[in-house]
Each structure stands twice: as C-alpha cells, then as structure tokens.
C-alpha cells in the first residue's frame, strides 16, 4: 500500500507557500491539508512546518509543529499559532 508510511512517519512540510491556497483569516488544521489535496493523508507522527517559501495570508494554524524560524515567519505574516 502506497500510504503505509502514514502510519508512523512525521511529515516535514517545507514550503509555507502551500498554505496560500486557503482563504484569509481561515483556521487551518492538518485535516484541512488533506481536504484541499495538499497532502494525501494524515501521518501519525504529525506535521512539522519548516521555514521556506512565503506565507501571504493571515491564517490560524492548529495542530502543527513548527521550526523556530517557521514560527517567526508565520507570526511576521500576521498569522497565529494555537
């Protein structure tokens, strides 16, 4: 099965650009990434967002882990982390 890696793997989400598909002032969760077809499924190990790309929208992030640099970029863009 091609998605068996989801059972144990933690996904490193490298580009903040991918979040620009969501509408301004939206709360974004890992499940929202699946529904928007940004990722195939939810990994059991969670999703860690790294600091590359540019976030152009003000969003509220819930249920993600962040690198320190990604936290800085998200907050600088006017977004929130729950």
């Amino acid at each position: 099965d091609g998605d068996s890696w989801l059972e144990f793997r933690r996904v490193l989400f490298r580009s903040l650009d991918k979040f620009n598909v969501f509408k301004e002032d939206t709360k974004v969760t890992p499940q929202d990434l699946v529904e928007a077809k940004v990722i195939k499924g939810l990994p059991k190990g969670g999703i860690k967002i790294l600091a590359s790309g540019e976030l152009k929208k003000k969003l509220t992030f819930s249920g993600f882990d962040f690198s320190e640099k990604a936290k800085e970029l998200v907050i600088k863009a006017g977004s929130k982390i729950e």
Side-chain angles (χ1 to χ4, degrees):
D1 179 80
D3 290 335
S4 61
W5 62 272
L6 292 171
E7 293 178 19
F8 60 90
R9 191 161 189 202
R10 179 181 209 182
V11 170
L12 298 177
F13 206 79
R14 289 180 167 76
S15 180
L16 290 169
D17 294 325
K18 301 261 184 190
F19 291 97
N20 292 321
V21 301
F22 296 99
K23 292 180 181 177
E24 188 87 17
D25 297 318
T26 298
K27 181 175 181 176
V28 181
T29 67
Q31 182 62 42
D32 293 321
L33 294 179
V34 175
E35 292 171 10
K37 297 184 178 15
V38 175
I39 60 174
K40 286 185 176 184
L42 294 175
K44 296 251 194 251
I47 298 173
K48 183 172 186 172
I49 300 172
L50 304 178
S52 91
E54 182 181 359
L55 182 61
K56 297 179 180 178
K57 307 235 175 123
K58 292 179 184 173
L59 304 170
T60 300
F61 292 87
S62 181
F64 297 97
D65 292 322
F66 291 84
S67 69
E68 286 302 314
K69 183 67 176 171
K71 277 184 190 176
E72 290 174 24
L73 292 175
V74 165
I75 291 167
K76 186 178 178 181
S79 293
K80 299 175 188 171
I81 299 171
E82 293 184 339

